[in-house]
Amino acid sequence: MRSIVSSLSLVLLLVLTSGLPLIGAAEGRSVHSTSVVDLFPQGALDDAGEWSVGAETSFTQATATYTETMVADQRLTMVHQRPVHLDTMTVWSSSSPTNSNYSVGAPDGAATWSTGPEIQLTTFDVSGLSAYILKEVHLRAVFQIPDALQEDTVRISVEHGDGFDLLRTFAHTQGNVDYINNSAFMLNITDLMEWTWTDISEMVFTLDYVSAGGVDDSRLVVDAVGLDITVQTPWYGGEVGYASSTFAGHEMPVIGLDFEAGTTDNMALDGCGLKPLVDGTSGTWTSALFTPPPEQLLGRLHLSTSEGEVGNVSVEVALSQDGESVGEYQAMNLNTLLPQAVAYKVRVVVLDACVDEVWVDVNDPSLGLSGRVFGTNDGIDANYSRWLVFVNGDVVSNEAMDLGTFVHEWPIGAYLRPGTDAVEVGIRAWFTWDSTGEESTTALEVNSIAISGGFGVEWDEDPVCDPIGDQTLTEDNGGIILPLLLRCSDDRSSNEALLVQFTNTNTDLIDVDLAEGDVRLRLLPEASGQAVVGVTVIDEAGNAWEDTFTVEVLAVDDPPVVTEFQSLIPVERDVETVVEMSWFDVDSTQLTASTNRSWATVDLTSNALTVIPPTIGFHTVLVSVCDQTGCTEREVDFEVMALPDLYFESMDFGDEALTQGDVVSLRLLVRNSGQADATMVSVRCQANDQLIGVQTVPIIQPGELRAVTCDWQIPNDVEVVRFNAIIDRGFEILEGDEENNEIESLVAINQAQEDGASSQDQGGVSGVLGVGYVLLAVGLLALLAYFMPAKVKKIE
């Protein structure tokens, strides 16, 4: 391809030097072909590496936060995606129903402490937030528990319009809890209810130190309680997504007109270009006759000035239909399509300006672009959100960021310059928003970019090669090597420079490639049939010799294939075992299978080998799978074993009903239904998944039934107990069935009869009374009563 481009560039260079010399240069040879050249292959958008992309803020050129530009999936996409705009404000309680006034307001070091009385805080001023949409509410509590909690607890709860919720309980802490000197205690309470601003402002937080009695473990110190409230807020800003790519390596389809080849009237070629000899007067320059390149059409006429305005220059065009004589000159606007003709002349009239370049484009080169703008477009400012297209840094079009699909095509000959072999295309999208804070997505997606008008002219002869001829091969053979380049010749290129390409109508049959100048045909596994191979030999200029030949591959019937089995498969005597097997036959569908053992059968439909071995030991089974022409055999090794099989036959607790506080005997019957002894059988007893005992049975012979008993005292606070037991929990005994080793039972527990004090205080009070009676007997009651602390009451 590089040589083709070089040849085309040479042709265009001849065109650019003048118009008519192109005809002379073609004498003695003919145009071999003309071709359309893609001037912007990057427009296929299939290689992200060919594009320079990015996104920045509109004014500071810092990296954009919400805009991303990417080339992927054959699309150029500039995605502007804004999340919900959120702000968080902290409001503090402003009153206390318990007069805990040192805890009101923001944290200030002043605090209320308690070892029992509740601290309640309420009244949160949300007047500055009520106009916004509420998103989240977090409790922010600044408090301290100076010492570790052993028996006492600290509770934080909230009362709101939907009821009451206990938020957090602190108990059995290992040390102090300090949310005053450290970060505040935070808790998300958004999901407690459907909040209204009234609910938030009126909710009441209660911080309660709950003493278990006796000496307090610590105390509760509260500095402040507040709410972190997150709301949706308005915002504005602007970001720009950009992408650009440059194609180079082919002459642009424009022809520069040579000032020296034309004639002038009161016009001279100055350092700035063409300008009138006398200031304030007009001058005229008339070009030499110029023609389009072979099989091409001229497009639009363009010029540029280095001094003065383009408006001070007028242009006239004369047409020639025979390439020699020209007609009358007619005025023509710049950037207007030229009428069709064989040849042209241009007359330029200049007043108070200097023309530095005049050129005409070929085939009216245009930039085509298609895509869409999609998304929600919420908050996007329609006046300041635009997308612009650039060619070589000049703006080609400025489009609004309106949702919908688009297809555009703009002539770009005015932005191309003679003698250049590169073109840069750029796209910039301005996303400017002024929104209420809602999330929004707007994307500019370009799915194709193309520059038309590119062309190439080639002169050369085709290479010539000897035909290859049809080939007949046999399935499963390696293939064949056929000589090619040694039998080719070309008028300009050496054989080493010739390029060979292949087409193959049956890629499932053969693989074709070039190996050291020869055609290599490789047969694909288990394939037969016909393929037509096309061969194209291309020289450096792109001229080609083509040939086709047929390859026929004769079929061969292959034997079945059986995948190897596991090296040694353990099975149980007299127990049916199914072993999965894998097989296939690419040529046959009617297959049979057999084994050399009466106790082993094969089912090809379910891909299963089924065995019921009658004796213990090591046995080998020969498996045969056959088609109409041959068989494939595989050996399978089995280790046949006799195994125990343990299971629970029953679980019982005696005839008496179970009552809280009773000692229950869990009796389990374990049977071995297998074919071998089971030794050191462990039985694990559990109640509500808590271990209550592990018993070990030294041995259980086949068919034998053994009993296991586990004793356990039922707690006073349960009403239902789930008893379960597990045999061989560590899987230390190899069994025929490992899935039947567990039993469980859900048992209702009767409530113990209460006598005297409540069940909550019965134990503690009875103990105290008993000790009191003993002390009364020895006459020391008065002295002990004097020193005894107040009665302790447990707080639930």
Side-chain angles (χ1 to χ4, degrees):
M1 177 57 73
R2 291 183 180 273
S3 60
I4 297 173
V5 172
S6 300
S7 301
L8 296 179
S9 300
L10 179 60
V11 172
L12 283 175
L13 183 61
L14 295 173
V15 174
L16 294 173
T17 52
S18 79
L20 290 175
L22 178 64
I23 299 176
E27 293 177 0
R29 62 176 181 172
S30 61
V31 175
H32 175 68
S33 64
T34 60
S35 59
V36 176
V37 177
D38 186 356
L39 294 180
F40 198 67
Q42 299 95 314
L45 302 171
D46 53 6
D47 186 357
E50 296 177 337
W51 286 84
S52 174
V53 300
E56 61 189 16
T57 59
S58 297
F59 305 106
T60 64
Q61 283 72 54
T63 301
T65 303
Y66 308 108
T67 304
E68 180 181 7
T69 304
M70 69 189 80
V71 176
D73 299 328
Q74 296 183 319
R75 294 177 178 86
L76 166 62
T77 308
M78 298 179 184
V79 181
H80 175 69
Q81 191 168 20
R82 299 189 313 278
V84 176
H85 188 250
L86 301 176
D87 282 319
T88 300
M89 179 178 293
T90 302
V91 294
W92 301 96
S93 64
S94 59
S95 67
S96 171
T98 57
N99 294 322
S100 305
N101 296 326
Y102 287 121
S103 301
V104 171
D108 55 5
T112 304
W113 65 271
S114 173
T115 59
E118 295 178 344
I119 299 175
Q120 292 184 334
L121 298 168
T122 184
T123 310
F124 299 91
D125 184 7
V126 294
S127 59
L129 300 173
S130 58
Y132 302 117
I133 298 174
L134 176 66
K135 291 296 183 179
E136 287 188 349
V137 182
H138 290 76
L139 167 65
R140 176 183 289 269
V142 181
F143 66 94
Q144 181 185 64
I145 305 172
D147 303 305
L149 296 175
Q150 303 297 330
E151 299 293 336
D152 300 345
T153 59
V154 172
R155 298 177 180 176
I156 301 177
S157 59
V158 62
E159 182 180 358
H160 48 73
D162 208 18
F164 174 87
D165 284 289
L166 178 61
L167 300 179
R168 181 68 180 272
T169 300
F170 295 87
H172 305 293
T173 59
Q174 301 298 315
N176 71 322
V177 177
D178 191 355
Y179 289 107
I180 292 180
N181 297 312
N182 300 319
S183 298
F185 171 75
M186 301 293 297
L187 183 66
N188 191 340
I189 61 174
T190 307
D191 296 330
L192 291 184
M193 65 171 290
E194 293 293 330
W195 294 106
T196 66
W197 290 113
T198 301
D199 293 326
I200 292 176
S201 65
E202 295 178 354
M203 74 171 77
V204 179
F205 287 96
T206 301
L207 294 88
D208 185 15
Y209 186 95
V210 182
S211 175
V215 178
D216 294 327
D217 295 333
S218 183
R219 61 177 180 170
L220 173 63
V221 181
V222 181
D223 189 348
V225 170
L227 296 174
D228 280 5
I229 301 176
T230 303
V231 294
Q232 176 182 313
T233 54
W235 65 327
Y236 63 90
E239 292 181 346
V240 182
Y242 58 84
S244 64
S245 182
T246 300
F247 169 75
H250 192 84
E251 201 80 20
M252 294 297 103
V254 290
I255 299 174
L257 302 185
D258 186 2
F259 289 156
E260 295 182 351
T263 59
T264 60
D265 181 10
N266 191 34
M267 187 86 78
L269 188 59
D270 200 355
C272 67
L274 285 174
K275 64 181 303 183
L277 289 174
V278 180
D279 292 340
T281 62
S282 62
T284 303
W285 172 79
T286 303
S287 72
L289 192 68
F290 60 92
T291 62
E295 301 181 15
Q296 312 301 316
L297 297 175
L298 294 184
R300 304 170 191 267
L301 186 66
H302 314 280
L303 62 81
S304 63
T305 59
S306 57
E307 296 178 3
E309 301 293 334
V310 175
N312 295 334
V313 182
S314 61
V315 176
E316 298 174 344
V317 176
L319 308 180
S320 173
Q321 302 300 338
D322 57 8
E324 296 180 359
S325 60
V326 296
E328 298 293 329
Y329 283 94
Q330 297 178 352
M332 191 168 199
N333 295 327
L334 293 173
N335 203 28
T336 302
L337 281 173
L338 293 170
Q340 295 186 16
V342 174
Y344 302 83
K345 272 191 174 184
V346 171
R347 184 159 63 192
V348 178
V349 180
V350 181
L351 175 65
D352 295 333
C354 183
V355 178
D356 60 351
E357 197 165 22
V358 178
W359 69 96
V360 60
D361 62 52
V362 181
N363 299 326
D364 189 23
S366 300
L367 173 65
L369 185 146
S370 65
R372 60 174 178 157
V373 178
F374 65 94
T376 60
N377 230 18
D378 292 337
I380 290 294
D381 191 316
N383 294 324
Y384 298 101
S385 296
R386 315 283 297 180
W387 58 278
L388 279 66
V389 180
F390 299 82
V391 171
N392 292 332
D394 295 322
V395 177
V396 175
S397 183
N398 184 333
E399 303 292 331
M401 193 69 70
D402 295 332
L403 296 179
T405 60
F406 55 80
V407 177
H408 295 296
E409 186 172 13
W410 305 284
I412 59 170
Y415 311 109
L416 305 178
R417 289 294 186 271
T420 61
D421 62 354
V423 59
E424 180 188 33
V425 175
I427 300 176
R428 296 179 70 88
W430 273 260
F431 299 96
T432 305
W433 69 92
D434 185 2
S435 77
T436 59
E438 294 288 347
E439 65 178 346
S440 176
T441 300
T442 301
L444 171 65
E445 178 184 275
V446 178
N447 51 45
S448 69
I449 306 173
I451 296 180
S452 63
F455 69 95
V457 182
E458 304 175 19
W459 291 266
D460 201 355
E461 301 295 334
D462 293 334
V464 177
C465 303
D466 292 340
I468 294 176
D470 297 338
Q471 306 294 320
T472 301
L473 305 173
T474 303
E475 179 185 348
D476 297 335
N477 286 340
I480 191 172
I481 300 294
L482 303 173
L484 176 64
L485 291 184
L486 289 177
R487 300 180 180 180
C488 295
S489 62
D490 187 72
D491 60 333
R492 292 193 308 146
S493 302
S494 64
N495 284 8
E496 291 77 11
L498 295 177
L499 175 66
V500 180
Q501 296 177 345
F502 299 98
T503 61
N504 180 5
T505 62
N506 193 348
T507 56
D508 295 329
L509 178 66
I510 59 173
D511 188 14
V512 185
D513 62 0
L514 189 70
E516 298 182 357
D518 298 328
V519 178
R520 178 169 59 182
L521 300 179
R522 291 181 293 177
L523 303 185
L524 298 182
E526 310 301 337
S528 61
Q530 284 190 343
V532 177
V533 178
V535 183
T536 304
V537 180
I538 306 173
D539 65 13
E540 292 173 302
N543 304 310
W545 170 85
E546 296 181 348
D547 184 32
T548 59
F549 62 93
T550 301
V551 179
E552 182 179 7
V553 180
L554 304 178
V556 174
D557 189 8
D558 294 321
V561 176
V562 180
T563 306
E564 290 187 1
F565 292 88
Q566 180 180 332
S567 60
L568 182 63
I569 301 175
V571 296
E572 190 173 0
R573 182 186 65 186
D574 293 330
V575 176
E576 180 179 295
T577 302
V578 178
V579 179
E580 183 179 351
M581 62 180 293
S582 177
W583 65 274
F584 65 90
D585 192 320
V586 297
D587 296 319
S588 302
T589 57
Q590 298 179 358
L591 287 91
T592 60
S594 61
T595 71
N596 64 340
R597 301 284 186 177
S598 62
W599 45 267
T601 59
V602 177
D603 186 353
L604 294 180
T605 303
S606 59
N607 299 328
L609 169 63
T610 304
V611 297
I612 309 176
T615 58
I616 297 174
F618 293 91
H619 302 277
T620 299
V621 175
L622 182 66
V623 178
S624 300
V625 180
C626 304
D627 60 11
Q628 292 86 344
T629 60
C631 296
T632 299
E633 296 180 339
R634 288 288 185 190
E635 290 186 345
V636 190
D637 294 324
F638 292 98
E639 180 184 2
V640 183
M641 300 176 290
L643 300 175
D645 187 7
L646 302 172
Y647 70 93
F648 287 107
E649 195 162 279
S650 66
M651 171 193 289
D652 66 76
F653 310 91
D655 299 330
E656 299 295 332
L658 304 186
T659 304
Q660 296 173 349
D662 287 354
V663 175
V664 62
S665 291
L666 173 62
R667 184 170 181 266
L668 302 160
L669 295 183
V670 182
R671 185 178 295 278
N672 180 3
S673 63
Q675 306 177 36
D677 295 344
T679 59
M680 302 306 293
V681 180
S682 67
V683 179
R684 179 185 178 94
C685 303
Q686 298 180 151
N688 290 337
D689 293 327
Q690 300 297 317
L691 177 66
I692 62 176
V694 178
Q695 305 295 333
T696 302
V697 181
I699 185 170
I700 305 177
Q701 297 178 347
E704 185 179 6
L705 182 67
R706 298 294 297 271
V708 175
T709 301
C710 296
D711 295 331
W712 180 62
Q713 184 177 12
I714 301 175
N716 291 327
D717 57 350
V718 298
E719 295 180 354
V720 178
V721 176
R722 186 174 66 87
F723 293 96
N724 67 312
I726 305 172
I727 302 173
D728 187 28
R729 185 170 182 262
F731 297 101
E732 298 175 355
I733 301 173
L734 182 61
E735 299 182 56
D737 184 1
E738 297 284 0
E739 303 297 328
N740 60 351
N741 288 5
E742 186 170 353
I743 189 173
E744 71 173 38
S745 178
L746 196 65
V747 180
I749 307 300
N750 293 330
Q751 186 173 6
Q753 296 297 323
E754 296 185 0
D755 186 13
S758 68
S759 59
Q760 178 179 359
D761 301 332
Q762 183 177 2
V765 175
S766 297
V768 172
L769 291 176
V771 173
Y773 293 146
V774 174
L775 296 178
L776 284 171
V778 296
L780 298 178
L781 177 59
L783 182 60
L784 289 175
Y786 179 80
F787 290 102
M788 182 178 292
K791 179 181 178 180
V792 176
K793 180 176 178 64
K794 182 178 181 183
I795 297 177
E796 290 296 330

